[in-house]
Structure formats: structure tokens, C-alpha cells
Amino acid sequence: MEKDLYQHPDYYLVDELLTEEHKLIRDTVRAYVKKDISPIIEDYAQKAAFPKQIIKGLGEVGCFGPFVPEQYGGPGLDYISYGIMMQELERGDSGVRSTASVQGSLVMFPIYKYGSEEQKHKYLPKLATGELMGCFGLTEPNHGSNPAGMLSNFKDAGDHVILNGSKMWISNAPFADIAVVWAKDEAGEICGMVLERGMEGFTTPETHGKWSLRASATGELVFDNVKVPKENIFTKVKGLKGPLSCLSSARFGIAWGALGAAMDCYDTALRYAKQRVQFGRPIAGFQLTQKKLAEMITDITKSQLLNWRLGVLRNEDRATPAQISMAKRNSCEIALRISREARQILGGMGITGEFSIMRHMMNLESVVTYEGTHDIHLLITGMDVTGINAFGG
Amino acid sequence: MKILVCISQAPDTTTKIAFTDNNTKFASQGVTYIINPHDEWYALVRALELKESGIATAVHLVTVGKADVEPVIRKALALGGDEAIRIDTDSNEPYVIAMEIAHYAESLGYDLVLCGKESIDYNNGIVGAMLAEFLELNYIGFATKLDIAGNIATVSREIDGGEETDTCKLPLVISCQKGVAEPRIPNMRGIMAARTKPLKVVAAAGIQPLSTIVNFEMPPAKSGVKMIAADNMDELVNLLHTEAKVI
Ligand SMILES: Cc1cc2nc3c(=O)[nH]c(=O)nc-3n(C[C@H](O)[C@H](O)[C@H](O)COP(=O)(O)OP(=O)(O)OC[C@H]3O[C@@H](n4cnc5c(N)ncnc54)[C@H](O)[C@@H]3O)c2cc1C
């Protein structure tokens, strides 16, 4: 792969809206990505393997659950810091960002928010360093966009419960040490619980043959009469709002992350267009190339401002789930469009692993799908502005 | 053992260099500053390693600059210094910088003063030596390896065709370069910890510079490549004679 020369675009001086600490966090994660991710990621994506060795570094830098307070082993940073970190990680690769998103927003967040003191002390410090890795099981084979219909369920058996069912498309599942699983109790209410690898009847077969997020491991969670101790069940939340609050945290990170992938594509395409000469001049000098680049930077700039504002609202605990949906949907949409246009600018080179663009483009097909598909987020915005539910069911 | 590390800021290596005020000043508008890499990657990291291995008890950072250098000093604190001192004056002149630091540090009993071999903007490379002179301490320049045992420093440096190893009693001033340590990336805990570490601002002693910069010049622009047809020897000879003026 080409040397990683990435510099972020900042057409509207959005950096001035960030604190010195935010910028230091960004430089830190960027330096980490340039040192440990960029040199290896193409190779791992090509061979469809998760680079397990990066877990230690991600933990050391502090990319797992940066919003978790110090008493539980996190650094206790704000949500803009979290967004910036996800932006820089996904600038490198959406799969790496996914690993960090799942660990932070989908595993550490619910344990921090809904777990008992014992659960928090038992899991959070080790999850922050990467000594323990987690996954999040919500989606099922027959219930994706409609998780409320899930079939996974558990029955009371004294000091423990018996869990049955299965989950599909679960990031980190093949190597996770623990799983935050959502299943229905006997009254049909959704509850969350922590499963540990090794529990009898709990298996995590890997999903092979993906053309997207190839450097991230995806798998199933299968529960065959798994005995789960009652102390592993979250007592502070019941119903769909449990998993949905986790998704809000993760979607917030994705809004920033997908923008990072878009920025990388733009940065690569701009540099290439200025260097590549056809018909006696750099291709950046052709109007059709300029149209692509001008539209890309316009989309990126708008999204930077949207995300920054969302970050401020989230820091003040005022960001609504629907606002987060809008930003997640917007970033995925512009990132996909920018990656496709950027790939065109690179011509044949655009389809090779020499550059990151095609990898980003394929990754983004997952990013636009998971954590609520493009259309589901549209329906969320639609419902929010009209007050009418158009999901059906 | 107390270590003082001299930290300066320098323009990011991708900065487009330009000058103002009739080519007498560096145009700093919009420039991103970093910790001078020789200070950060080698002097500071080695000092931190010495502290982590229990040899040093404290690592203090000192910089000469106005308030605009504070982000860079916070980053250095995020990497792991215990406290920082900013001497409140703006100068790029090595004599002023070395004198100001010496003035501040002379009565504080540092056992080891580390700095980078040079700053990557003005490349003078003499602050370390001057500082040693003003503090009346021994000096070893351009270290590529540094170990401390008891009160003896063992320092390697590159010489023509080989390596020289010196030993010297502390206290000592050493300028560091590649080899002394490996660059480190800060982490989020360090960044959070830096928020509450002391950053003391002390008034400058008011040292006057010995030299002034008359003006800056950019190196001549790289000339483009001229392609000459392989069989056109006359043109080649002509150009080498009249344009390149080498024959
Ligand atoms: C790589 C990858 C990693 C993932 N990681 C995780 C994970 O870690 N944990 C987890 O729980 N899940 C994970 N997922 C699952 C992901 O969240 C789901 O794929 C997603 O929610 C969509 O569900 P589905 O695939 O079942 O599609 P479906 O819900 O079947 O949707 C298919 C299509 O129908 C559309 N559609 C559905 N309902 C409506 C409607 N009411 N109106 C209009 N259109 C509609 C959708 O927009 C979509 O276009 C992952 C997925 C992928 C691809």
C-alpha cells in the first residue's frame, strides 16, 4: 500500500470549534493509525482476517470506551473526543472502528449504564485495556430492522436462567470473551445480560465470505440451554430502550467514523488528481474532476458541522436519538458517494489495494446497513417530524 | 535524581514556509506547531524511561515562549512529565534561550538536563552546549544512547566511521538524537492527567540577544526537467553550456 500521507480537510476552519485537547486526541489517534493500522490493514482485509495484535494498542491509546469514568478504568472524556477518535480510526478502516465501537458503545456503555457495581468493577477496567473483548447480540436471523420481534428468550430456573435462541451478524463474536445479549423474559420483555465464553451451550461460529468489513470478525451467537447466573442480568433496564440507548451511543460514533472514511477518500483523490497527468495536464485541471472534488469537500464540510453540533448536544445530554439517526444516515450517505467518486478519480488504481478507497467503499456498505439501515433512519426522521409511525407492523 | 528536559515548539514538518516583514520574520499565521521532534522523541522519552525504571524521581519540562506554546507543553505533559515551567518570553535566539533556562535552573539542583540535538526550525543546535557552559556543567552533545548507573552517565555518540562511548559524572547536560529512545504516542489517560499537572509561568530574566536575523531567503526553486530527444546532441551540449553552465 502507498505511504499514508493523510491530512484532514478543514475548509470551514472547524478545528477552531475544537479544544486543544480535542486536537491532541485527534493527533494521537492519527499517529497511532499511521503507525499500527495503515501499514497492515490492506493485507488483513485482503485475507479477510482480523488483526488481533491491534487490540493491545487500541487499549493502550485509550480507544475503548473513552467516555467511561476513571473509577471504572476509562479516561472519562467527552463525546466530541469519542467522535474524533472514531473518525480517526475509521479513516484507517471501518472494521477497526467497528471493533472499537462495539467494545465502547455496545459492551462498555450498557455495563456502565445498566450493570451492577460488581459487574462494572468486574468487566469495565479489563474491557478498557482490551484484556477482555466483548460483542453485542441484538440482531437475529429473522429480526434485523425489527429487533422487537426477537425470539431469543430465557426462563427462570432458581439462581440462574436458561437462555435459548441465536443471534446473527455479530461483530467481534468469533473472538469475544464476553457478550452483551438481549433476549426476552417469560413476560416477553427484552432484558440484557452478560454471557462469558465457555458457558455450556454457548457457541460463536464465524461468518465467512464477506466482501465488506473484511478486517473485522463477524459471527453468530448460538444459545442452546445456556445457564446464565442471575447476577449477570442487567436489572436497571427493561424493554427495547436498553439496546436502543446503546445504539444511540454507537450511531453517534458511526456518524463521526463514516465521515473519517469520506475524508480519507477525498484526501487521497485530491492528492492523486493533482499528480496524475493525462492529456498533458493534471486530471485535477479538468472540470469534471473538479466537480467531483468540489462536491466532496462541500459534503464533508456540511457533515463536519453537523457532527460537531451533535457532539455539543450529546455532551449536554440533549442529543435526541432522532438527531443521532440523521447524522448517522447523512455521514454514511456522503461517505459512500464520496468513496465512489474518489474511486473514479483514481481510475484503474482506484480498484487496487495500493490505495484505501475501494476498501472504504466496500466497508461502507456494512456501515450504511448496521446500526439501522439507511431507510430505517429515514423512517426515524420521518416519524420524528410528522409524528406518524411508518414502520408498519 | 531530578531531570530537566528542554522543550521547544517547531512548525509541523508539512508546513509551507513563507516570510513576512520584508523577509525578516517567519509567517506563523495558520501554522500548526508540534514539539520539536528531537526534544520529544529522544530527550523527553528517555527521561520518562529513566523515571519509569526508578532511576529518576522527577521529570520537569522547561520551555521559553509566550502563552501560545502551552498546547505543545500540555502534549509533553500528556506524554508523562511531572510538571512544566514556561519562561515567559518569545525568542528564537539560542543565547537568550540558553541564558534564560540557565537563569531559571541554576539553583534548582537538576542532576541531568536533556535537550534535543537541534530544533528543526532554526537548526542552530547550540542551546545544549551553551546551557552547559552557563550552568558550569559538563556537556555531551548528539547522544545516540544514554544510560545512568549511580551518578555516572554512559553516553554513546556517532563519530566518523564508528561510535564513541563516554562516561561522565552527573550533573550533566546532554543533547539527544535518534537512538536514545523510540518515539511514543500519548494515550487518553495521559491526556486527562495533563489537565491537572502544574504548568508554572515564570518571568523572563530579560536577557538580550547577541545576534539578530537580517533576513530569510527561500532556496532557489527546483528547476524542471528538460527532455531532449536522444539523437539531439547539439541541443544537449548547447544547454549544458549556456543554461547549466557546467561545460
Ligand atoms: C458486518 C456487519 C456487522 C454487524 N454487527 C452487528 C452486531 O455487532 N450486533 C448486532 O446486533 N447486529 C449487527 N449487525 C446487524 C445489522 O444491524 C443488521 O444487518 C441491520 O439492522 C439490518 O437488518 P437485516 O440485515 O436483517 O435487514 P432487514 O431488516 O431484513 O432489512 C432488509 C431491507 O429492508 C428494509 N426495511 C426493513 N424494514 C423496513 C421498513 N419498515 N420500511 C422500509 N424498509 C424496510 C431495510 O432498510 C433493508 O433495506 C451487523 C451487520 C453487518 C452487515
Side-chain angles (χ1 to χ4, degrees):
Chain A
M1 206 175 137
E2 293 271 308
K3 190 170 161 42
D4 184 353
L5 298 171
Y6 176 72
Q7 279 183 295
H8 69 282
D10 188 15
Y11 200 72
Y12 261 42
L13 312 182
V14 180
D15 273 10
E16 290 177 12
L17 299 171
L18 303 175
T19 63
E20 288 301 331
E21 192 175 280
H22 290 144
K23 286 184 262 187
L24 176 53
I25 289 168
R26 182 181 59 203
D27 293 350
T28 298
V29 181
R30 187 171 304 166
Y32 164 73
V33 167
K34 286 193 176 184
K35 178 170 152 284
D36 281 6
I37 305 293
S38 306
I40 58 136
I41 196 66
E42 181 61 32
D43 187 35
Y44 278 83
Q46 292 279 0
K47 62 187 187 205
F50 172 67
K52 258 192 147 171
Q53 72 275 20
I54 68 172
I55 289 175
K56 191 161 174 273
L58 284 166
E60 272 168 9
V61 172
C63 293
F64 294 142
F67 42 75
V68 169
E70 273 178 285
Q71 73 202 96
Y72 302 116
L77 292 166
D78 71 352
Y79 265 90
I80 292 185
S81 303
Y82 173 58
I84 287 171
M85 294 168 86
M86 296 303 111
Q87 182 170 304
E88 289 300 320
L89 289 182
E90 188 146 4
R91 202 284 298 174
D93 188 77
S94 306
V96 174
R97 199 270 305 137
S98 299
T99 298
S101 278
V102 168
Q103 182 87 341
S105 282
L106 300 180
V107 179
M108 296 173 74
F109 179 85
I111 293 175
Y112 169 59
K113 195 108 181 160
Y114 308 122
S116 62
E117 254 338 279
E118 296 82 75
Q119 286 171 334
K120 289 189 214 183
H121 285 292
K122 180 172 179 194
Y123 296 118
L124 291 176
K126 287 185 177 164
L127 289 164
T129 58
E131 190 183 335
L132 281 182
M133 290 300 291
C135 65
F136 174 88
L138 179 67
T139 307
E140 299 189 350
N142 293 319
H143 297 91
S145 298
N146 178 24
M150 69 172 65
L151 299 176
S152 293
N153 66 89
F154 61 93
K155 293 198 167 44
D156 199 321
D159 62 346
H160 62 273
V161 297
I162 303 286
L163 174 70
N164 276 293
S166 66
K167 301 285 175 184
M168 199 180 174
W169 294 120
I170 308 305
S171 305
N172 297 3
F175 59 82
D177 306 289
I178 66 169
V180 168
V181 171
W182 302 92
K184 284 179 177 164
D185 64 12
E186 284 163 83
E189 284 215 85
I190 295 173
C191 298
M193 61 186 77
V194 182
L195 264 63
E196 295 188 7
R197 183 174 291 284
M199 285 179 168
E200 210 181 316
F202 173 38
T203 50
T204 61
E206 183 157 1
T207 304
H208 294 287
K210 290 178 298 165
W211 281 113
S212 174
L213 288 194
R214 286 166 65 82
S216 153
T218 315
E220 293 167 50
L221 305 177
V222 182
F223 321 116
D224 178 11
N225 286 316
V226 184
K227 276 190 195 171
V228 184
K230 276 197 176 153
E231 67 258 23
N232 286 31
I233 300 176
F234 299 143
T235 49
K236 292 187 202 151
V237 71
K238 268 198 174 173
L240 203 55
K241 69 173 185 297
L244 289 189
S245 67
C246 304
L247 296 183
S248 280
S249 177
R251 287 167 181 172
F252 174 87
I254 296 174
W256 288 76
L259 179 59
M263 287 168 150
D264 192 49
C265 292
Y266 167 76
D267 180 61
T268 305
L270 178 63
R271 190 174 303 113
Y272 189 87
K274 289 202 263 191
Q275 284 167 1
R276 175 71 177 167
V277 174
Q278 288 294 289
F279 299 97
R281 65 160 99 161
I283 58 170
F286 297 117
Q287 285 186 350
L288 289 175
T289 312
Q290 289 191 2
K291 175 176 186 290
K292 291 186 179 79
L293 292 167
E295 284 176 350
M296 286 182 198
I297 190 64
T298 307
D299 275 345
I300 286 171
T301 303
K302 288 193 280 194
S303 305
Q304 278 176 302
L305 290 166
L306 194 76
N307 284 354
W308 172 79
R309 179 65 189 149
L310 184 71
V312 172
L313 291 174
R314 179 118 183 128
N315 278 344
E316 295 168 356
D317 207 11
R318 292 197 293 146
T320 65
Q323 285 169 333
I324 296 173
S325 276
M326 180 186 280
K328 190 267 181 187
R329 181 175 182 275
N330 170 69
S331 287
C332 293
E333 180 175 33
I334 68 127
L336 262 174
R337 190 162 61 229
I338 287 170
S339 65
R340 289 170 186 155
E341 295 283 12
R343 205 220 54 73
Q344 299 247 26
I345 289 177
L346 267 74
M349 287 313 283
I351 69 148
T352 71
E354 281 298 297
F355 295 90
S356 55
I357 294 177
M358 187 88 180
R359 180 164 44 81
H360 281 311
M361 188 172 124
M362 297 199 300
N363 283 342
L364 286 163
E365 292 294 340
S366 289
V367 182
V368 75
T369 301
Y370 64 26
E371 305 268 351
T373 67
H374 196 61
D375 286 346
I376 290 297
H377 286 296
L378 193 77
L379 294 178
I380 291 173
T381 307
M383 184 168 82
D384 202 45
V385 295
T386 64
I388 304 169
N389 173 339
F391 288 95
Chain B
M1 186 183 86
K2 281 190 346 181
I3 305 180
L4 181 67
V5 183
C6 307
I7 300 281
S8 75
Q9 71 169 15
D12 187 87
T13 45
T14 57
T15 306
K16 288 203 173 64
I17 303 296
F19 303 107
T20 58
D21 294 13
N22 237 352
N23 285 345
T24 57
K25 277 207 179 106
F26 170 58
S28 57
Q29 189 78 24
V31 169
T32 307
Y33 285 91
I34 57 172
I35 310 178
N36 178 45
H38 300 293
D39 304 349
E40 176 186 344
W41 296 348
Y42 312 123
L44 175 57
V45 174
R46 188 64 191 129
L48 298 175
E49 287 171 354
L50 289 170
K51 187 170 174 210
E52 285 155 8
S53 59
I55 294 170
T57 50
V59 175
H60 293 176
L61 317 177
V62 64
T63 191
V64 177
K66 302 300 273 184
D68 59 326
V69 306
E70 288 192 1
V72 157
I73 275 288
R74 282 273 170 228
K75 179 181 176 192
L77 286 171
L79 277 162
D82 298 306
E83 64 171 69
I85 299 96
R86 175 169 71 78
I87 301 173
D88 192 24
T89 183
D90 193 17
S91 177
N92 295 312
E93 211 259 359
Y95 173 76
V96 173
I97 293 169
M99 262 304 219
E100 287 288 355
I101 296 175
H103 195 264
Y104 169 76
E106 62 191 350
S107 60
L108 298 176
Y110 287 103
D111 304 281
L112 188 60
V113 180
L114 297 180
C115 59
K117 70 164 179 173
E118 63 184 357
S119 67
I120 60 164
D121 45 8
Y122 293 91
N123 302 82
N124 286 306
I126 49 176
V127 166
M130 280 182 158
L131 182 55
E133 174 66 21
F134 301 146
L135 287 172
E136 295 184 22
L137 296 180
N138 284 325
Y139 171 69
I140 301 178
F142 306 94
T144 54
K145 223 188 273 170
L146 160 63
D147 283 304
I148 309 275
N151 68 341
I152 303 287
T154 306
V155 182
S156 303
R157 43 204 307 275
E158 275 172 14
I159 51 171
D160 259 355
E163 190 183 76
E164 168 190 298
T165 302
D166 309 316
T167 54
C168 186
K169 257 195 182 160
L170 302 180
L172 182 64
V173 179
I174 300 173
S175 81
C176 303
Q177 65 168 2
K178 195 168 178 194
V180 164
E182 286 298 316
R184 275 189 191 181
I185 295 173
N187 59 43
M188 298 309 138
R189 292 176 150 282
I191 291 172
M192 285 297 283
R195 279 186 188 172
T196 50
K197 286 182 183 173
L199 198 170
K200 286 193 272 184
V201 182
V202 299
I207 309 297
Q208 292 306 305
L210 292 182
S211 62
T212 47
I213 288 168
V214 181
N215 74 306
F216 293 106
E217 272 172 43
M218 298 295 274
K222 273 194 202 141
S223 52
V225 176
K226 267 200 185 134
M227 303 298 282
I228 301 159
D231 53 3
N232 195 348
M233 284 301 156
D234 290 348
E235 173 76 355
L236 178 63
V237 171
N238 183 33
L239 285 174
L240 286 175
H241 183 61
T242 57
E243 270 194 28
K245 297 196 170 77
V246 289
I247 53 172

